Amino acid sequence: MKSARRSVATAIRDVLLTGEATAKVFAARQVARDWRLGRLDFVFDVAMPDRPAWPTALELLPPGRMPRRGKMGSRRNRIALWHALAHIEFVAIDLALDMAGRFGESMGETFVSDFLAVAADEAMHFALIARKLDSLGSNYGALPAHDGLWSAARDTSHDVAARLAIVPMVLEARGLDVTPATLERVRAQGDENGAKILQRILDDEIRHVAAGSKHFHAVCATRGENPRESWQKLVQIHFSGELKGPFNDSARLAGGLPRDFYAAIA
């Protein structure tokens, strides 16, 4: 007898509820592969969890209580940098999975494909950084991390336009701004391997911002809204920080985020 196929929603939920870091990486890449190969049904029969499972050893602090990182020179500060980057990429796996699982039914199969591909990229980024931490004699969970990224998902769980506006088009776009300077600092330390990891992440994040922008514009077209005005309004409502430069205008434009979107509210 032929076994019943899994729904894409069940597969995504299972990955979100996988807490151990390496297991989540493998599971995220597997669900993206299974979807790409047509092994999962476009069925949304389970709800996404309010928050994903993370490693039990990971200490979460409010952003304001995080220890300040020093300059790059010492091994301790290099570990702190790579640990912070590991946490960003780890949470980004869940942000992309939740995007596909929470909003995929209403947004369609291309939306699911795009964000499961993003999740697979983020999983690969995390794996590269975890290996980097290992080479420095550390590991993900050895230092505290903050919960600010997931709070952005929680605050926008009611509206796909708000989620797209904040996660890909603010938080990931911020990565386009700050990663080039970090890359140059890492390279100046003689760490060419680290620079290659950051270049790979930067190249992929442009595509991730572009996916967010594409689907945001599609939502606005469906709702009869002006994309720039709608984005600015959603950012002012749902983003608690400030949009601060300097901005990587060329990378943002390549990601479908022209300067007239953000310059007026920065």
Side-chain angles (χ1 to χ4, degrees), residues 12-14 16-17 46-53 98 102 150:
I12 290 170
R13 180 183 169 86
D14 287 349
L16 286 166
L17 293 176
V46 294
M48 294 303 108
D50 288 337
R51 68 171 301 130
D98 187 79
R102 190 172 298 274
W150 191 257

Side-chain angles (χ1 to χ4, degrees), residues 60-111:
L60 293 174
L61 298 175
R65 284 190 50 213
M66 284 291 292
R68 290 187 67 83
R69 287 205 310 271
K71 298 296 182 185
M72 279 285 294
S74 70
R75 175 177 163 276
R76 178 182 170 189
N77 288 334
R78 290 204 303 277
I79 288 171
L81 169 72
W82 289 106
H83 193 280
L85 294 172
H87 184 61
I88 290 168
E89 298 299 329
F90 186 77
V91 180
I93 301 170
D94 287 330
L95 289 171
L97 290 169
D98 187 79
M99 183 83 85
R102 190 172 298 274
F103 303 112
E105 184 173 27
S106 62
M107 291 296 291
E109 294 188 24
T110 300
F111 181 91

Side-chain angles (χ1 to χ4, degrees), residues 169-170 173-174 176-178 180 231 242-252 257 259 262-266:
M169 299 174 74
V170 171
R174 183 65 183 149
L176 304 183
D177 302 333
V178 301
W231 182 80
E242 293 178 66
L243 292 185
K244 289 186 288 193
F247 298 109
N248 187 345
D249 292 328
S250 60
R252 282 170 168 257
L257 193 55
R259 187 169 173 78
Y262 52 88
I265 59 172

Side-chain angles (χ1 to χ4, degrees), residues 8 10 71 102 123 139 158 181 189-191 202 235:
V8 69
T10 299
K71 298 296 182 185
R102 190 172 298 274
N139 61 278
H158 63 291
Q189 295 287 329
D191 184 359
L202 179 61
V235 170

